Amino acid sequence: MEESGHGSWTYCVDLAPEDGKRKTRRRGGFATRAEALREMKAVLDGELRGVYEDRRVTVASFLRQWLAVKKEELAPNTYAGYEACVERDLIPAFGHYRLPDLRPKHIELWIAAQRKAKRGKVTVYRIVSTLRNALNHAVRAWGLRYNPAKHSVPARPRAAERTCWTPKEAAVFLRHGAEQYADQLTDLFEVMLGTGMRRGEVLALHWSDVHLMDRKLYIRWTLAAIDNGKIHLREPKTEAGRAWISLSPRVMAALHRQAVIQMANHPDGRLEGLVFARPGGTPLRPEWVLDQLRKRTA
């Protein structure tokens, strides 16, 4: 232990050798000797127990480091949800705590305040789940002894019961679209109902993956809007998401109509780009398509 310049303290300790080489940890900038000594003891205790809780790491800095790691692993839309939870709620609520000082009671008090403010149950669940996931990462990396959010996550709210159209209801919807609209969305909904494709899969469908002669198409891409803003095209999350789908006569007819329209509008009469798109070839916005589906369903 030694006093450095500008009135700060530094500690230096020899740790267990790695690969036969001496390993030394030296840290400075502590305001008092007691603070430097406490940190040195934490380092030595971490060496003994295998867990090192760095008291200079705040919850805010840790969460942002965790986000940087997750950005490389997650789909953009999923990452955007995590980032919103961290920046909008977790850092304002807990960011000022030192990471080892965060306790279950801090999280429970925050949850109680959110309930009192009539915050949505699903929203609170997602926020605390995000915190638990992040702190699990700290525990796995031997940066925390335990996860203070482990038992604080509220029960997952039960999803609203979904209803499924009968074949008769689906036929009524498609007939209504053909009679009242007869537009691109009419064919898009025909393809969705006739194949079971997800909205993002239909919106990302390229003509290069449609094989009309063979009566089949291939799901290669899916499309999502991040926070209903930037459009992102990516591969399906799982290998099973990339699949061939056989086409019924009705779906074939819908795709054929769109093919005729696009070839008529293309200078060279070619089929290329997205099957369902804006006049300039840019993707349709997923939220707009969903809004139109709801309106036409009503």
Side-chain angles (χ1 to χ4, degrees), residues 5-274:
H6 307 291
S8 62
W9 286 82
T10 297
Y11 73 81
C12 181
V13 294
D14 287 337
L15 304 176
E18 289 185 356
D19 300 326
K21 296 181 181 179
R22 179 180 176 183
K23 181 182 175 184
T24 302
R25 181 186 291 273
R26 182 184 182 90
R27 295 289 186 272
F30 296 98
T32 64
R33 185 178 187 277
E35 185 179 347
L37 184 61
R38 183 170 59 248
E39 179 63 18
M40 184 177 71
K41 288 181 177 179
V43 171
L44 294 173
D45 185 59
E47 279 290 299
L48 179 64
R49 299 175 182 270
V51 178
Y52 171 52
E53 296 183 327
D54 190 345
R55 296 191 55 80
R56 291 186 296 179
V57 175
T58 64
V59 173
S61 62
F62 165 74
L63 287 174
R64 289 188 173 120
Q65 291 171 8
W66 174 74
L67 275 178
V69 172
K70 301 304 288 185
K71 191 171 186 178
E72 303 300 320
E73 303 173 356
L74 299 173
N77 223 26
T78 305
Y79 171 79
Y82 277 7
E83 185 180 38
C85 288
V86 167
E87 297 293 347
R88 182 191 60 218
D89 290 286
L90 294 177
I91 287 180
F94 310 112
H96 59 286
Y97 289 108
R98 300 291 176 181
L99 185 60
D101 292 340
L102 185 63
R103 296 289 183 267
K105 65 180 181 181
H106 301 141
I107 303 167
E108 296 293 343
L109 287 172
W110 181 85
I111 292 173
Q114 300 307 300
R115 287 172 174 164
K116 188 175 181 180
K118 306 297 183 183
R119 195 89 181 269
K121 291 182 179 180
V122 174
T123 300
V124 174
Y125 168 80
R126 287 175 178 169
I127 293 168
V128 184
S129 292
T130 299
L131 179 62
R132 180 181 60 184
N133 291 342
L135 296 178
N136 275 339
H137 177 83
V139 172
R140 288 193 298 270
W142 303 100
L144 276 180
R145 287 179 172 83
Y146 78 104
N147 184 342
K150 181 177 180 179
H151 301 295
S152 299
V153 180
R156 185 168 189 163
R158 181 176 295 178
E161 184 178 352
R162 298 185 180 185
T163 58
C164 186
W165 286 349
T166 64
K168 182 178 179 180
E169 289 170 333
V172 169
F173 172 77
L174 293 175
R175 189 182 310 116
H176 171 72
E179 293 173 352
Q180 300 296 323
Y181 301 97
D183 59 356
Q184 179 180 224
L185 286 182
T186 303
D187 290 332
L188 186 150
F189 296 142
E190 183 79 57
V191 173
M192 287 183 69
L193 278 168
T195 63
M197 293 173 70
R198 297 180 176 88
R199 177 181 38 156
E201 294 169 346
V202 172
L203 295 179
L205 183 62
H206 287 67
W207 283 115
S208 57
D209 291 319
V210 176
H211 304 269
L212 293 174
M213 295 295 292
D214 297 324
R215 295 178 176 269
K216 62 184 180 181
L217 60 79
Y218 186 68
I219 298 177
R220 191 183 305 275
W221 305 102
T222 185
L223 184 141
I226 301 175
D227 292 332
N228 198 26
K230 185 178 179 182
I231 299 294
H232 182 79
L233 192 72
R234 63 174 177 81
E235 294 182 344
K237 288 183 179 179
T238 64
E239 189 64 32
R242 290 179 281 273
W244 288 97
I245 295 181
S246 298
L247 306 178
S248 68
R250 290 186 63 126
V251 173
M252 285 285 294
L255 292 172
H256 184 264
R257 283 191 294 270
Q258 290 304 308
V260 170
I261 293 171
Q262 185 165 134
M263 286 190 294
N265 293 330
H266 195 285
D268 300 323
R270 293 204 306 266
L271 278 179
E272 58 184 14
L274 294 168

